[in-house]
Amino acid sequence: MERLASFGNDPFDKPPCRGCSSYLTEPYVKCAECGPPPFLLCLQCFTRGFEYKKHQSDHTYEIMTSVFPVLDPNWTAQEEMALLEAVMDCGFGNWQDVANQMCTKSKEECEKHYMKHFINNPLFASTLLNLKQAEEAQHNETAIPFHPADDPPRPTFDSLLSRDMAGYMPARADFVEEFDNYAEWDLRDIDFVEDDSDILHALKIAVVDIYHSRLKERQRRKKIIRDHGLINLRKFQILERRYPKEVQDLYETMRRFARILGPVEHDKFIESHALEFELRREIKRLQEYRAAGITNFCSARTYDHLKKTRDEERLKRTMLSEVLQYIQDSSACQQWLSRQADIDSGLSPTVPVPSNSGRRSAPPLNLTGLPGTEKLNEKEKELCQMVRLVPGAYLEYKAALVNECNKQGGLRLAQARALIKIDVNKTRKIYDFLIREGYITKA
């Protein structure tokens, strides 16, 4: 009995033959009594009477093929799929290129058949309309819109952003280095010959099966990256910063479980915890009102205004006590006034500190209010202050060095300087610090 094959024209889309592990080409045979998963055999193995575990050669079977008409008696199902694929590759209207790719139909036949059965067919039009309406209804029920197909940035090769994107090439939708990049090396010397012993033949098939499992893992990881929109790392980090710090810590902890939940479910989970955090903070504020004896929101607004005024007065008294400590030393008083002027103008305070050599060196960097400071530990904060490096840049340099160290199994100072295009002395301090703290290892 003939059945439409449930795979595309690409032979790599089909599972391999259970007998010889070769890629199946139509027609092929499916056992009607074994499965799931389906037990598929090529014609050569079927004619040999191949048997494996519960499968016997006398089982009923189905012939899987697409050589039968569907919409037109003169067009087979295989030609229908080839036409759709050719239109997708060459573009609608390029009928000569479509005919050249199909090889079995002329330009006029391709155009006439496509316009008749796929454009002006009222059955297909109503079906497409119903599919579109169902898709819109599904999006309306979704609480959080998700757009994983945003066009990622196109950085120059080997730039810092390109390394952040793991070498992703948007024009090819592929990576410079794949996961398990050398998986194909195990197959380069394998050749199936007729005089192989059974053990050697089984060993070669086992190696091919292992290679298939590694390819599946590679595709699984690509799917996770695509579904969760992880290509554009900086955009992903900006979306993280919209949450409070407590929710950001939860986001960082739960990120490893995103591959299990899926993109929309994971975002819903984080959003629900962000909502819980907001509710807890509001409950705490209402409890504070109750402890203060406030019973209505009008009194609550007055209470908030007075509390803000008291906090400002307390800050002024603290600043005044600081001024009184400097008032007896004119030089120290002048430095304090200069520092306060820098703070009021939105700049980091810069108070020169004399060094032993007679030259003035820059003071430690003030990290107050800088993005990314909360993600640093105390030693990293001290490093950023001494080398005068903002936390965001330090985190990027740290990630680049750690990733390169994981790839190479170790990192030299020269490689670190090639990755980080900043002052060589700062690069050495960062490199020595990461070595000392165990983030990277020396090659």
Side-chain angles (χ1 to χ4, degrees):
M1 179 176 60
E2 295 187 352
R3 293 288 183 89
L4 175 63
S6 59
F7 308 100
N9 292 333
D10 189 355
F12 296 99
D13 289 341
K14 304 182 180 68
C17 171
R18 297 297 294 270
C20 60
S21 297
S22 62
Y23 286 105
L24 295 171
T25 57
E26 297 179 8
Y28 55 92
V29 177
K30 173 185 175 183
C31 180
E33 300 181 21
C34 299
F39 193 91
L40 306 178
L41 292 174
C42 64
L43 295 181
Q44 290 77 10
C45 293
F46 176 73
T47 55
R48 279 205 317 266
F50 177 80
E51 295 182 348
Y52 179 74
K53 292 184 178 180
K54 296 181 179 181
H55 175 71
Q56 301 296 324
S57 58
D58 58 350
H59 283 182
T60 57
Y61 60 91
E62 301 173 1
I63 299 177
M64 310 298 289
T65 181
S66 57
V67 185
F68 57 88
V70 178
L71 302 175
D72 191 312
N74 297 323
W75 284 69
T76 64
Q78 188 173 6
E79 289 176 332
E80 299 281 1
M81 292 187 291
L83 174 63
L84 295 177
E85 184 177 355
V87 172
M88 185 181 300
D89 293 341
C90 304
F92 178 78
N94 299 321
W95 301 114
Q96 186 60 53
D97 296 337
V98 171
N100 294 337
Q101 181 168 328
M102 287 195 61
C103 300
T104 59
K105 300 293 182 180
S106 65
K107 169 185 174 182
E108 292 76 13
E109 290 175 331
C110 293
E111 180 179 4
K112 181 180 178 181
H113 184 81
Y114 191 85
M115 296 299 296
K116 177 181 178 182
H117 295 284
F118 295 101
I119 300 298
N120 300 324
N121 192 335
L123 176 61
F124 281 4
S126 61
T127 303
L128 293 176
L129 180 59
N130 293 334
L131 290 176
K132 183 177 180 181
Q133 292 175 349
E135 183 179 0
E136 292 177 353
Q138 182 180 3
H139 285 310
N140 292 334
E141 295 175 359
T142 304
I144 303 172
F146 182 74
H147 305 286
D150 292 344
D151 188 26
R154 300 174 182 265
T156 57
F157 179 72
D158 204 28
S159 63
L160 181 59
L161 180 56
S162 176
R163 290 191 293 271
D164 287 342
M165 295 169 59
Y168 181 74
M169 298 175 289
R172 294 175 53 185
D174 210 341
F175 294 87
V176 175
E177 290 191 12
E178 297 284 357
F179 169 76
D180 201 357
N181 198 42
Y182 300 101
E184 289 77 11
W185 282 24
D186 296 336
L187 300 178
R188 56 183 177 177
D189 297 327
I190 291 183
D191 187 17
F192 288 89
V193 295
E194 295 182 357
D195 56 349
D196 283 343
S197 63
D198 294 340
I199 296 178
L200 182 58
H201 183 77
L203 180 61
K204 291 181 179 180
I205 292 178
V207 172
V208 174
D209 289 339
I210 293 173
Y211 173 67
H212 286 164
S213 64
R214 296 165 78 176
L215 286 184
K216 290 180 181 179
E217 176 63 18
R218 182 184 295 175
Q219 294 301 322
R220 186 185 71 86
R221 290 173 178 259
K222 280 186 178 181
K223 185 176 185 300
I224 292 173
I225 293 175
R226 181 180 67 251
D227 292 346
H228 289 269
L230 301 180
I231 295 295
N232 193 344
L233 181 62
R234 295 191 177 181
K235 182 178 180 180
F236 189 76
Q237 293 173 343
I238 292 174
L239 293 177
E240 283 186 357
R241 297 193 189 106
R242 63 181 177 175
Y243 298 116
K245 183 180 182 301
E246 293 79 359
V247 182
Q248 290 183 19
D249 296 339
L250 175 67
Y251 205 111
E252 183 70 24
T253 304
M254 298 302 298
R255 182 179 298 171
R256 66 195 67 182
F257 300 104
R259 68 185 70 180
I260 302 174
L261 295 177
V264 177
E265 290 78 7
H266 181 68
D267 285 348
K268 287 182 179 180
F269 176 78
I270 299 299
E271 288 287 348
S272 63
H273 278 273
L275 178 60
E276 179 188 0
F277 174 77
E278 294 293 337
L279 291 176
R280 288 181 180 272
R281 185 168 60 180
E282 187 67 18
I283 291 173
K284 184 177 180 181
R285 187 168 69 93
L286 295 176
Q287 290 175 342
E288 181 183 355
Y289 291 158
R290 175 176 289 184
I294 298 173
T295 58
N296 55 68
F297 286 105
C298 181
S299 301
R301 286 193 293 270
T302 305
Y303 172 80
D304 290 337
H305 176 72
L306 294 176
K307 181 181 179 181
K308 182 179 179 182
T309 304
R310 287 195 302 269
D311 293 340
E312 292 176 352
E313 292 294 334
R314 188 181 297 110
L315 179 61
K316 290 180 180 179
R317 288 195 298 270
T318 303
M319 294 175 61
L320 181 60
S321 63
E322 188 178 354
V323 171
L324 293 177
Q325 294 176 1
Y326 288 100
I327 201 67
Q328 297 179 353
D329 188 349
S330 59
S331 176
C333 182
Q334 186 64 32
Q335 291 180 2
W336 184 87
L337 292 175
S338 176
R339 180 159 62 94
Q340 291 300 319
D342 290 339
I343 293 176
D344 293 339
S345 61
L347 302 175
S348 299
T350 55
V351 181
V353 178
S355 62
N356 296 331
S357 62
R359 298 188 308 171
R360 295 193 175 191
S361 59
L365 179 65
N366 184 11
L367 303 181
T368 304
L370 293 180
T373 305
E374 68 279 358
K375 298 182 180 180
L376 306 179
N377 56 36
E378 294 301 325
K379 293 183 179 180
E380 290 176 326
K381 291 180 181 178
E382 182 179 354
L383 173 68
C384 291
Q385 289 175 342
M386 296 306 298
V387 301
R388 296 186 60 79
L389 190 65
V390 295
Y394 165 75
L395 291 173
E396 291 186 5
Y397 299 152
K398 174 185 173 183
L401 294 178
V402 171
N403 291 336
E404 188 67 21
C405 179
N406 293 335
K407 292 180 181 178
Q408 304 294 337
L411 194 66
R412 300 195 308 270
L413 178 59
Q415 293 173 317
R417 287 174 174 169
L419 289 173
I420 303 177
K421 303 299 183 180
I422 58 175
D423 181 68
V424 293
N425 296 321
K426 292 185 178 182
T427 304
R428 183 175 188 86
K429 291 180 180 179
I430 296 173
Y431 176 80
D432 293 340
F433 173 80
L434 296 179
I435 291 286
R436 187 169 59 253
E437 295 299 322
Y439 291 107
I440 61 176
T441 57
K442 186 178 296 185

